[in-house]
Amino acid sequence: MAPRTHSVPVTLPHPALPLADWADCYELVVPGQSTNAISASRRAMGVFPVWARALLWLRNLVVRPFGLKGSGDHPGSQTEMIGFFPVISKSSEQTVLGFDDTHLDFRIVIDVRQAGELAQRVSVTTLVRRKILLGKIYIAVITPFHRLIVRTMLARLARPVMAVS
């Protein structure tokens, strides 16, 4: 049976976004593979499925008139990106992605920890600081899509890594 993602509780405040007022976390135990947080982040979030890219395109179209940043908007060409998201910090155990906008600030935290001798536990925590009413409405609308996208991206890590010859 393939490993399954499951929801885990998040304790706020969180060091990656101390003023967050909304959070969720999903994790997956990945047997038989060894990875670090930046590699896991790139595998999980580097390339979105076509259906998720279509949803993000639609999201960008809808929010642009409100002056909100689109997915992929980033401060400059020197900013390291994973998928659509700027890298805020990275280590072998944790990668933090995200940015601040007028309606909300968000962080995606990817943690990798050993789960026994032959497995690793990978978690994806999303933290949001909703600044204004629009931020609260936005999170309420996108949450079902967010959950589906995060679970799908995390499930990618359960697939075997293909060796390049």
Side-chain angles (χ1 to χ4, degrees), residues 53-99:
R53 287 194 311 260
L55 284 174
L56 287 170
W57 176 84
L58 181 60
R59 175 245 180 239
N60 290 344
L61 188 68
V62 170
V63 302
R64 190 67 66 184
F66 296 100
L68 305 181
K69 292 181 182 176
S71 300
D73 290 349
H74 54 88
S77 60
Q78 301 301 324
T79 303
E80 181 180 359
M81 303 287 286
I82 295 179
F84 300 111
F85 307 108
V87 176
I88 294 172
S89 67
K90 62 183 179 179
S91 70
S92 59
E93 297 85 27
Q94 184 179 82
T95 304
V96 180
L97 312 171
F99 57 82

Side-chain angles (χ1 to χ4, degrees), residues 43-57:
R43 279 188 63 208
M45 304 186 74
V47 179
F48 277 48
V50 171
W51 62 265
R53 287 194 311 260
L55 284 174
L56 287 170
W57 176 84

Side-chain angles (χ1 to χ4, degrees), residues 10-143:
V10 179
T11 302
L12 295 177
H14 190 284
L17 189 62
L19 296 177
D21 60 357
W22 185 97
D24 68 5
C25 180
Y26 293 92
E27 72 176 16
L28 173 70
V29 174
V30 181
Q33 297 180 35
S34 180
T35 191
N36 60 37
I38 197 71
S39 294
S41 300
R42 286 187 178 120
R43 279 188 63 208
M45 304 186 74
V47 179
F48 277 48
V50 171
W51 62 265
R53 287 194 311 260
L55 284 174
L56 287 170
W57 176 84
L58 181 60
R59 175 245 180 239
N60 290 344
L61 188 68
V62 170
V63 302
R64 190 67 66 184
F66 296 100
L68 305 181
K69 292 181 182 176
S71 300
D73 290 349
H74 54 88
S77 60
Q78 301 301 324
T79 303
E80 181 180 359
M81 303 287 286
I82 295 179
F84 300 111
F85 307 108
V87 176
I88 294 172
S89 67
K90 62 183 179 179
S91 70
S92 59
E93 297 85 27
Q94 184 179 82
T95 304
V96 180
L97 312 171
F99 57 82
D100 300 341
D101 205 345
T102 56
H103 66 309
L104 57 77
D105 301 338
F106 83 95
R107 303 293 182 268
I108 301 169
V109 182
I110 298 94
D111 286 297
V112 176
R113 300 180 310 280
Q114 283 303 120
E117 201 171 305
L118 300 173
Q120 290 181 298
R121 183 176 316 276
V122 181
S123 64
V124 177
T125 303
T126 305
L127 304 162
V128 179
R129 175 183 174 219
R130 300 170 293 180
K131 296 178 179 177
I132 58 176
L133 179 61
L134 180 58
K136 292 177 183 181
I137 293 168
Y138 177 82
I139 288 299
V141 170
I142 66 117
T143 293

